[in-house]
Amino acid sequence: MSSPEEKNTARHQFNQPFLSLSPEDATDKPVNTEIVGQIPEWLEGSLYRNGPGIFQVGETRLKHLFDGFSVLHKFHIHKGKATYMSRVLDSETWQRSVKAKRLIATQFGTYETPDPCKTTFAKLSTIFKPQHKAEWTDNVSVNIVEHGDRLYAMTETPTIVRVDPAELKAAGRENVAKTIAVHMSTAHPHFDEQGNMYNLGTAFNPPNNYNIIRIPPPSKEDKDAPVTTQAELVTSLKSRWMFSMGYNHSFGMSRDHFVILEQPITMSSFGFLTNNWRSAAAYDNFVKRPSEELIFRLVSRQNNAETAIKYRAEPTFTFHFVNCYEDDEHKALVVDFCGYSDLNIIDNLYLDNLDKEGIAHSVPTFRRYVLPLSIRGAAVGKNLVTLPHSGATATLRPDGTVFLEADYITNGTVQMELPKINYDRNTKKHRYVYGTTLFSKEPKLMKLDLETKQVLEWQEQGYQAGEPVFVPRPGGSGGEDDGIILSPVLSTKGNEGCFLLVLDAKTFKEIARAKTPDSVKMSLSFHGSYVQSKQ
Ligand SMILES: [Fe+2]
């Protein structure tokens, strides 16, 4: 029987070398890195990363950036040294695809390759057999998060995969859809101070609900007990469209509210519910609505009910919220995210398009919206934003809705994706945002100071820095940015020379880099988590 490690996948060369790796390029045993500079002594832990690393399986070439098979990465830091390892996640989709030498489960932009052994009659007959189900992927390639003392790899399906932190192998699969009626859920959960995980799920069954889900921390007594069986439905909001739902890659959580965006990139409920009858990838069911406004929907965390005020804005799409918080003095909710005015961004991430033009026409910029939490007595047409020095506006319309205009902070000059903050500030007022550029001609990392509007940058010719993860200095009293930034850096010229970058978060100056040996080929990772070593 074939093993996933066997070399039965052909390599497809994309322009970006980190999108052209093969399974054998993984570094499945930790290797030492060369430290240039000095890693702080207090940094004792592991940075786990997840992203799409393999784009060819047997005869199937995956089409979209979001399709790639998950490769997990781990930088382990101890006493000023660092090791690196990576592994193709042994999801069922991966293992069965390798064995079949073709894609056997529908991905975001590539659908299951038909089994050449099936007869036409057999294919037709499956349409009428209720037991036939198209296989949605368990290729959880977007994020890896810490929940209690466990690591879970996540994507936008309801399946989450527990990961063995030592070996980076799958240590159990769970499916939140077995407990809560959802067809999708995001890979960007939030956590409260009690360790509860919150996520946004999408249910395509009429009446098309956005479901906020709470998953309590894992059992300390039963180390094998699944967490998703304890999932609870916090609230459900009905979609504004009869047969469609807004697509969300993330959602917002403040002290008092959940924030769900109804964006003008939507998904056809009918399309998803009939997907198992047709040859269609997930994105084939998406519908762009460039003439429709973005709607902000708020849910009170006190009573889990939707608030009465309706907020609207120009058509805009975001993958990533930055943070949301209440400004009590000015009775407002501040919502920060990195947004696109061009709704073609997802199309531009098809690999053929990336090869041709990158995302030159889809530039993400930081945006701050300020939502007044009371409009009692407000005059139509008057700006209701009272935050000092804010460029955001909120105007009551005659129909009773509030129209929002964003403050771009830097006049929209800062391209920023994969934003991160000091997560201790999540749901609270934050000052600093860290981000990166992806597939830009001038890749760089940046730190945005929302008070001074100053931007600090790190860049090095020929290198692409990944998501900047903030790690607070233990016991640090130097403020929100008292800590370091960790970012995996890939070469855009070849596969060699990748490293882990360590920046002082205050100055944004490099204090160390952990250079992997030239034999290491590192693939792209989207998101990850730093896990402190246990004392
Ligand atoms: Fe993401």
Side-chain angles (χ1 to χ4, degrees), residues 277-293:
W277 297 350
R278 309 171 292 127
S279 294
Y283 192 57
D284 295 333
N285 301 310
F286 279 47
V287 180
K288 285 174 283 191
R289 300 171 186 266
S291 61
E292 296 200 34
E293 292 178 331

Side-chain angles (χ1 to χ4, degrees), residues 14 47 86 101 170 360 498 509 521 535:
F14 294 104
L47 178 69
S86 65
K101 296 185 172 62
C498 305
K509 295 270 192 273
K521 293 175 179 173
Q535 298 298 316

Side-chain angles (χ1 to χ4, degrees), residues 294-525:
L294 167 68
I295 293 186
F296 293 66
R297 298 179 66 174
L298 308 189
V299 173
S300 162
R301 292 184 64 192
Q302 269 73 53
N303 60 14
N304 298 328
E306 185 169 13
T307 60
I309 307 173
K310 295 283 177 283
Y311 306 91
R312 293 170 171 267
E314 290 284 336
T316 302
F317 174 76
T318 183
F319 288 115
H320 298 114
F321 277 76
V322 174
N323 190 24
C324 304
Y325 67 89
E326 282 81 16
D327 185 312
D328 293 331
E329 185 182 350
H330 301 95
K331 297 186 175 54
L333 176 70
V334 177
V335 176
D336 290 353
F337 61 72
C338 294
Y340 298 81
S341 298
D342 176 7
L343 302 185
N344 293 313
I345 173 60
I346 300 178
D347 304 80
N348 293 344
L349 296 176
Y350 276 99
L351 297 177
D352 282 347
N353 295 340
L354 270 179
D355 259 7
K356 284 181 207 145
E357 295 191 79
I359 57 165
H361 304 296
S362 303
V363 176
T365 48
F366 178 90
R367 293 145 199 245
R368 165 163 288 184
Y369 293 86
V370 180
L371 285 60
L373 291 171
S374 170
I375 56 172
R376 188 172 300 165
V380 171
K382 187 183 169 199
N383 178 20
L384 305 177
V385 175
T386 57
L387 266 69
H389 314 301
S390 177
T393 65
T395 310
L396 185 63
R397 288 166 156 177
D399 65 0
T401 62
V402 176
F403 186 74
L404 306 171
E405 290 182 305
D407 184 350
Y408 292 80
I409 304 295
T410 57
N411 297 320
T413 55
V414 177
Q415 179 179 344
M416 178 186 275
E417 248 301 0
L418 306 180
K420 293 291 257 190
I421 61 168
N422 176 346
Y423 200 74
D424 287 347
R425 305 304 306 166
N426 195 50
T427 75
K428 308 178 188 91
K429 183 176 182 180
H430 64 286
R431 174 172 172 177
Y432 303 108
V433 187
Y434 311 94
T436 187
T437 54
L438 275 182
F439 308 111
S440 158
K441 288 204 169 101
E442 280 191 69
K444 57 180 76 161
L445 280 174
M446 76 286 301
K447 172 187 180 181
L448 173 59
D449 183 333
L450 294 164
E451 266 183 39
T452 64
K453 305 189 178 184
Q454 184 186 26
V455 179
L456 300 178
E457 295 178 344
W458 177 94
Q459 67 182 124
E460 192 162 304
Q461 192 69 30
Y463 289 93
Q464 165 74 65
E467 176 195 57
V469 174
F470 177 84
V471 183
R473 187 164 64 88
S477 55
E480 182 185 323
D481 57 351
D482 187 0
I484 56 142
I485 294 292
L486 297 176
S487 172
V489 180
L490 304 171
S491 168
T492 57
K493 296 173 290 191
N495 291 123
E496 297 80 17
C498 305
F499 58 93
L500 176 69
L501 177 67
V502 186
L503 300 180
D504 181 319
K506 269 193 191 298
T507 63
F508 227 54
K509 295 270 192 273
E510 179 175 340
I511 53 177
R513 66 175 65 183
K515 295 168 69 175
T516 59
D518 280 350
S519 57
V520 166
K521 293 175 179 173
M522 203 184 298
S523 55
L524 178 73
S525 60

